[in-house]
Amino acid sequence: MAQHLAGVRVALTGPRKSKEMSLLVEKMGGIPLVRPAQGTVFLDDRNIRDGLVSWISNPSDWAIFTTGMGIDALFDMAEDMDVAGQLRNVLAESCIAARGYKTVNALRKLKLTPLVRDDDGSTDGLIREFGSHDLTGKKVMLQLHGETAPKLVRWLEEQGATVRQVLPYRHVPPEEAELEQLLDDVLEHKVDAVAFTSGPQVRFLTEYASSQGKLDQLRTAFKEGVVPASVGKVTANAMREEGIEALVVPEEEKMGALIVELGRYFAAHPIGVRRE
């Protein structure tokens, strides 16, 4: 494997597959530094059960799905509650919107086709594609992953919709010491790149930086030396919302593709060469 990351120090912020990503960084000559910016992601059984009961007893006009993993969790729980057939029937009678190709694929397995889907994997793309659909007075059930989506909820409510949310998973922040170490590494340029694999990782880091009065310094560090990298468009959009522009985003939303794309970036922009 080409040594495109020779000598490059890469901070890995995702707890999932950190060993595999570290090995790939090493194979490309880089130095992996595991710096979790996200704690455990766990299934919130109570939220799912309550959400399913509400959904089936009071069907919505629109169902908006944002993650394939979330859809799988909903239907796994529905099977456990013996209401999977009822849930699918409710969805078949609803208008469906989806964000992200993994979400669309999960719906396809259930023989469900979205009427609206994003054009770029982002919340903004989903909003754009709603286009001429009138949401006035409509009931919307919004499936999220592990965090709220205030921008999307606000937009839906501005269109006159009533929004209910179900979050199958819940993200927990890491220990403060881990965020402190990552922040110091970025601000002191002890890392050359930071690889983000989810929106919550970005938000936990920026919220911590803000609490320390160092958010502007963090944003400056990402503009002036430390390369911010994203696993895909959704995470890149979350970074943008926090004032950080991802310089590396692979076409294929996979962790391995992220490291390979990061290698291509450093092959074209060696350390020590000023970025334009």
Side-chain angles (χ1 to χ4, degrees):
M1 182 171 288
Q3 300 289 290
H4 289 164
L5 289 176
V8 177
R9 299 159 298 180
V10 182
L12 305 172
T13 63
R16 288 185 60 242
K17 297 187 177 181
S18 59
K19 290 183 179 180
E20 294 92 331
M21 292 180 72
S22 293
L23 182 59
L24 183 54
V25 170
E26 290 174 347
K27 286 183 176 180
M28 296 178 68
I31 304 166
L33 300 170
V34 178
R35 298 288 185 264
Q38 174 184 318
T40 304
V41 182
F42 66 91
L43 194 64
D44 191 340
D45 285 12
R46 175 58 63 85
N47 189 293
I48 299 178
R49 290 179 183 276
D50 291 348
L52 287 174
V53 170
S54 173
W55 206 335
I56 292 170
S57 63
N58 184 17
S60 60
D61 301 296
W62 279 88
I64 301 178
F65 295 98
T66 62
T67 67
M69 185 182 292
I71 292 173
D72 292 341
L74 285 174
F75 271 88
D76 284 347
M77 183 62 72
E79 289 283 358
D80 184 63
M81 295 170 63
D82 199 26
V83 296
Q86 294 178 59
L87 176 60
R88 197 195 173 287
N89 290 339
V90 164
L91 291 176
E93 295 297 321
S94 304
C95 296
I96 297 175
R99 185 194 70 181
Y101 75 91
K102 291 181 181 179
T103 307
V104 173
N105 288 342
L107 288 168
R108 185 176 294 124
K109 291 178 182 177
L110 296 166
K111 301 188 185 311
L112 296 169
T113 303
L115 179 62
V116 172
R117 62 171 298 184
D118 63 276
D119 57 2
D120 64 355
S122 72
T123 296
D124 287 339
L126 184 60
I127 289 173
R128 281 195 302 271
E129 291 304 309
F130 261 99
S132 60
H133 293 284
D134 184 7
L135 297 176
T136 304
K138 301 298 185 182
K139 294 181 293 184
V140 176
M141 183 61 83
L142 173 60
Q143 173 265 314
L144 300 169
H145 183 60
E147 59 177 343
T148 58
K151 182 176 183 179
L152 179 55
V153 171
R154 184 170 58 250
W155 182 84
L156 290 167
E157 291 178 342
E158 287 172 352
Q159 308 311 302
T162 300
V163 183
R164 290 176 289 163
Q165 303 176 51
V166 58
L167 287 77
Y169 290 87
R170 182 177 298 172
H171 294 279
V172 177
E175 295 294 328
E176 186 173 301
E178 294 176 328
L179 288 172
E180 180 181 15
Q181 183 176 30
L182 175 58
L183 178 61
D184 287 347
D185 284 349
V186 174
L187 297 186
E188 297 174 18
H189 292 248
K190 293 180 180 178
V191 294
D192 301 298
V194 179
F196 292 104
T197 56
S198 77
Q201 295 163 18
V202 182
R203 294 189 180 96
F204 286 140
L205 176 59
T206 55
E207 285 171 4
Y208 177 73
S210 180
S211 74
Q212 302 301 305
K214 297 179 179 179
L215 182 56
D216 287 341
Q217 292 173 251
L218 176 68
R219 289 169 173 162
T220 297
F222 278 126
K223 289 178 182 177
E224 299 179 357
V226 180
V227 176
S230 166
V231 72
K233 294 177 180 178
V234 173
T235 302
N237 189 57
M239 294 168 68
R240 190 173 299 113
E241 290 177 356
E242 298 298 328
I244 301 168
E245 193 67 35
L247 292 180
V248 175
V249 184
E251 285 296 322
E252 188 177 19
E253 192 172 337
K254 292 185 177 180
M255 297 180 190
L258 168 60
I259 301 304
V260 170
E261 191 65 26
L262 197 57
R264 293 195 184 104
Y265 178 89
F266 278 100
H269 305 82
I271 294 175
V273 177
R274 184 177 178 179
R275 288 181 288 157
E276 297 181 358

